[in-house]
């Protein structure tokens, strides 16, 4: 079937939530994708910062197939070895103590919000229920995570939202101080805001936030669903900044494209949960955790993250060298980069796609660059070429 035939068919039965580009992908390898008409694309979206090791990487295929032969699913009524191994690897390498597994970023953040409230409840501080989030943040689409998301456009029509959320200004410690009081349970923040426009936190701000939380017995939650798992050139975003949160959420890149989320916590924070407090049927599923074990093993191998830093710099410098008056700023860290324009970029992205380069926005005026961490220099040069040609053709 052709692209168009698939899309006509899809529009009849797939719910109309995405406003997808008119392309149907049928195959992927590394940083390349092929659509149903056989056209090849260079992928700088990576399933939105998710296909960490590229499409269909041999190493993950092998692990997945081997695990499929052994065991698919048992539920958390029992223990399973791959979940235990992943918990050990993740907590050890991320500087945390305990891991809870789920299936997505939103679910990881729900778990974090619930843990924060229950933590204070168990410490006889049940009045500490409020969660402070940030303007322009994105934490997911389930009601709790959606409420934490500081963007009105995502809230519209879904009232009533979850009570007990307040929003501070990103990179503005005073705005946090104004909201903190003896009702505050936790602060949730993306160290680099993703959907909200690829905005990195300032180091001083995150350090100050941690200090403030420590002083007042408030839990600091880092939502690293997009910026964690090596994306910044360090394993966690917190490590990039030298700040360790009390709770850390992961998803997107964690399974390299296989659905899995995780909430990690310090021993003290994790003491908020006891048996029966929280659960997920699929959480820690053997297939997902086997794949994620291999992802973490691959990205923590000696040469991997330094190479991500190097490729990130190459891409960032190439973007900064582009002289186009419509570009206001190129920003981000590692392979989480964005170019902010003074106009909306949908048209530019459509031209790039036409020329065989997949890009995605991060808000209406920012083009996001989140290729696989395994992208190579040739891919980067080719992407820059196509992007330059697209800019030349783009008149809005
Ligand atoms: C994508 C994203 C989420 C939501 O993840 P889902 O898996 O879509 O639920 C949460 N937080 C951040 C920072 C994200 O980028």
């Amino acid at each position: 079937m052709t692209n168009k035939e698939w899309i006509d068919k899809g529009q009849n039965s797939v719910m109309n939530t995405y406003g997808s580009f008119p392309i149907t992908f049928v195959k992927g390898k590394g940083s390349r994708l092929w659509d149903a008409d056989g056209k090849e694309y260079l992928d700088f979206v990576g399933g939105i910062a998710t296909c960490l090791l590229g499409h269909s990487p041999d190493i993950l295929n092998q692990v997945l197939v081997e695990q499929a032969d052994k065991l698919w699913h048992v539920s958390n009524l029992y223990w399973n070895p791959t979940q235990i191994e992943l918990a050990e690897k993740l907590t050890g390498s991320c500087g945390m103590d305990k891991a809870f597994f789920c299936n997505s970023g939103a679910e990881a953040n729900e778990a974090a919000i619930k843990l924060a409230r229950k933590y204070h409840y168990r410490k006889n501080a049940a009045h500490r229920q409020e969660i402070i989030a940030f303007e322009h943040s994105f934490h997911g689409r389930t009601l709790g995570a959606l409420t934490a998301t500081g963007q009105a456009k995502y809230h519209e029509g879904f009232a009533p939202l979850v009570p007990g959320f307040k929003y501070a200004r990103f990179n503005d410690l005073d705005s946090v101080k104004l909201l903190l009081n003896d009702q505050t349970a936790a602060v949730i923040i993306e160290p680099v805001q993703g959907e909200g426009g690829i905005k990195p936190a300032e180091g001083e701000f995150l350090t100050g936030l941690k200090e403030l939380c420590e002083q007042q017995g408030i839990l600091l939650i880092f939502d690293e669903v997009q910026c964690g798992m090596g994306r910044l050139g360090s394993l966690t975003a917190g490590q990039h900044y030298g700040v360790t949160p009390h709770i850390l959420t992961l998803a997107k890149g964690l399974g390299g494209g296989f659905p899995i989320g995780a909430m990690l916590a310090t021993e003290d924070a994790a003491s908020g949960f006891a048996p029966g407090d929280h659960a997920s049927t699929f959480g820690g599923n053997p297939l997902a955790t086997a794949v994620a074990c291999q992802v973490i093993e691959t990205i923590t191998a000696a040469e991997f993250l330094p190479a991500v830093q190097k490729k990130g710099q190459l891409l960032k410098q190439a973007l900064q060298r582009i002289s186009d008056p419509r570009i206001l700023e190129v920003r981000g860290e590692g392979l989480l980069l964005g170019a902010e324009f003074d106009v909306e970029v949908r048209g530019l992205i459509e031209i790039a796609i036409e020329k065989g380069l997949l890009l995605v926005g991060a808000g209406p005026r920012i083009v996001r660059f989140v290729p696989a961490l395994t992208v190579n220099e040739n891919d980067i040069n080719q992407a820059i070429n196509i992007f330059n040609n697209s800019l030349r053709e783009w008149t809005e």
Side-chain angles (χ1 to χ4, degrees):
M1 291 213 320
T2 65
N3 250 328
K4 188 171 177 321
E5 283 164 352
W6 274 119
I7 293 160
D8 289 344
K9 196 171 153 80
Q11 277 165 346
N12 285 330
S13 51
V14 176
M15 201 169 287
N16 187 21
T17 36
Y18 290 107
S20 309
F21 292 100
I23 310 169
T24 306
F25 285 116
V26 294
K27 191 171 125 109
K29 197 72 191 168
S31 287
R32 312 276 146 176
L33 279 167
W34 289 269
D35 73 10
D37 298 341
K39 178 172 169 178
E40 183 179 305
Y41 294 82
L42 176 57
D43 183 11
F44 269 52
V45 176
I48 315 188
T50 293
C51 304
L52 219 60
L53 307 183
H55 294 285
S56 199
D58 292 342
I59 180 81
L60 297 189
N61 289 350
Q62 191 188 330
V63 168
L64 185 59
V65 168
E66 273 171 19
Q67 186 59 44
D69 272 338
K70 270 191 239 166
L71 182 68
W72 280 34
H73 181 77
V74 287
S75 97
N76 290 298
L77 291 170
Y78 317 98
W79 295 86
N80 79 72
T82 51
Q83 175 173 169
I84 296 165
E85 274 172 20
L86 181 60
E88 198 175 271
K89 279 186 212 292
L90 272 181
T91 54
S93 52
C94 297
M96 306 299 277
D97 299 312
K98 292 282 164 66
F100 172 86
F101 295 106
C102 51
N103 314 285
S104 68
E107 225 188 309
N109 288 329
E110 292 292 333
I113 292 163
K114 284 180 72 178
L115 178 61
R117 286 185 172 169
K118 199 83 188 218
Y119 169 86
H120 293 292
Y121 174 88
R122 285 195 189 283
K123 298 232 158 174
N124 295 319
H127 53 280
R128 285 200 179 269
Q129 299 177 345
E130 282 182 4
I131 312 288
I132 295 178
F134 288 86
E135 292 173 3
H136 307 295
S137 61
F138 184 85
H139 299 294
R141 306 295 196 130
T142 53
L143 279 170
L146 177 68
T147 308
T149 295
Q151 300 190 59
K153 67 175 178 188
Y154 293 117
H155 290 176
E156 197 183 331
F158 294 114
L161 296 176
V162 178
F165 285 76
K166 289 177 171 173
Y167 309 91
R169 300 229 314 268
F170 197 68
N171 280 334
D172 180 349
L173 203 57
D174 288 335
S175 78
V176 181
K177 286 180 188 159
L178 282 176
L179 299 178
L180 283 189
N181 56 39
D182 67 354
Q183 313 286 304
T184 312
V187 175
I188 182 167
I189 187 165
E190 296 159 83
V192 178
Q193 288 189 332
E195 307 299 311
I198 317 297
K199 288 205 195 82
E202 283 157 18
E204 248 172 50
F205 171 67
L206 282 190
T207 311
L209 205 53
K210 173 76 186 285
E211 261 173 37
L212 209 56
C213 288
E214 290 272 299
Q215 281 162 10
Q216 308 204 19
I218 293 164
L219 296 175
L220 179 61
I221 304 167
F222 278 0
D223 175 349
E224 298 199 10
V225 168
Q226 187 157 171
C227 63
M229 289 303 288
R231 181 74 29 208
L232 304 187
S234 54
L235 181 61
T236 68
Q239 286 164 0
H240 173 81
Y241 285 100
V243 180
T244 310
H246 304 104
I247 300 175
L248 171 58
T249 59
L250 296 169
K252 289 198 166 84
L254 177 57
F258 200 94
I260 179 170
M263 176 196 57
L264 312 180
T266 61
E267 191 76 48
D268 178 50
S271 70
F273 275 169
D277 281 345
H278 193 55
S280 164
T281 297
F282 288 126
N285 167 288
L287 291 172
T289 48
V291 172
C293 275
Q294 184 58 54
V295 171
I296 192 97
E297 196 133 300
T298 301
I299 70 172
T300 51
E303 299 304 319
F304 194 91
L305 291 173
V308 172
Q309 289 168 19
K310 193 162 154 260
K311 290 181 284 193
Q313 269 161 18
L314 187 77
L315 178 57
K316 191 175 188 179
Q317 284 162 3
L319 288 169
Q320 282 168 335
R321 270 198 303 272
I322 295 173
S323 91
D324 186 307
R326 295 167 294 187
I327 299 179
L328 300 178
E329 191 186 16
V330 172
R331 58 176 180 252
E333 296 292 339
L335 287 171
L336 179 56
L337 299 173
E340 180 169 6
F341 286 75
D342 62 1
V343 286
E344 296 201 357
V345 293
R346 173 102 187 178
L348 173 61
I349 290 172
E350 280 167 0
I351 294 172
I353 291 176
E354 184 57 40
K355 294 184 182 301
L357 172 66
L358 297 178
L359 294 171
V360 62
R365 294 188 295 104
I366 289 131
V367 179
R368 171 167 32 178
F369 297 81
V370 280
L373 303 188
T374 51
V375 70
N376 64 39
E377 287 191 19
N378 285 339
D379 297 334
I380 291 175
N381 292 333
Q382 191 187 349
I384 289 291
N385 268 338
I386 300 177
F387 189 59
N388 262 318
N389 292 339
S390 307
L391 279 169
R392 245 169 256 137
E393 225 170 83
W394 179 48
T395 52
E396 291 135 67

